[in-house]
Amino acid sequence: GSNAVLTDLIHISRVGDIVSKDDKEFHIKYDWNGTKAMTLLSPSANQIVQQLIQAKDRYKLSTPSNSLSRSTAFRPSDVPGTLLNMAVLNLSASNHTLRISAYNLLVSLINSFSFHVSNTLVEAQDIAIPRNSQRFVKQISTELA
């Protein structure tokens, strides 16, 4: 008989449970054309398990949460509302530049999407927007709602 080396590459997103049995043995469950399990033996089993768990955690952090990403997938009709939310929330920010940018975003959205507001809002470079602009924010929010 001949010896052969078989290498399966399994992406970390397909790895399910990683269970350490003892210092030399661990089990991995993964999804590859159905759920499968693999038992591995190594003198460094604990270190391998820790590395796999850390890799899995890093992968989860680098991708949006499944429940969050599926429930909040943007549709084209969501964009104006999301941008309005950003603009209104930042109108009372402590950073002056952010308040001006939020105001200009609000003006652009009102003009672009033909939202009706009783006040005439115009874009400005050097406008003074007070930090405590709650009355203005409430009025705009009420009119847009």
Side-chain angles (χ1 to χ4, degrees), residues 122-135:
V122 293
E123 284 192 44
Q125 290 290 347
D126 295 321
I127 190 169
I129 300 172
R131 185 174 176 187
N132 185 3
S133 56
Q134 292 175 352
R135 187 186 318 169

Side-chain angles (χ1 to χ4, degrees), residues 29 41 58 70 75 79 86 91 105 120 124-126 128:
K29 288 186 181 177
L41 299 170
R58 279 192 308 271
R70 288 187 185 137
R75 297 180 304 253
V79 172
M86 287 173 43
L91 280 173
L105 176 60
T120 302
Q125 290 290 347
D126 295 321

Side-chain angles (χ1 to χ4, degrees), residues 12 50-63:
I12 197 70
Q50 290 302 315
Q51 290 295 317
L52 288 171
I53 290 171
Q54 289 174 6
K56 192 173 171 183
D57 289 344
R58 279 192 308 271
Y59 176 76
K60 284 180 184 177
L61 288 173
S62 71
T63 58

Side-chain angles (χ1 to χ4, degrees), residues 14 28 39 52 55 58 90 92 108 110:
R14 295 184 172 273
I28 299 175
T39 301
L52 288 171
R58 279 192 308 271
N90 288 313
S92 57
S108 296
I110 287 171

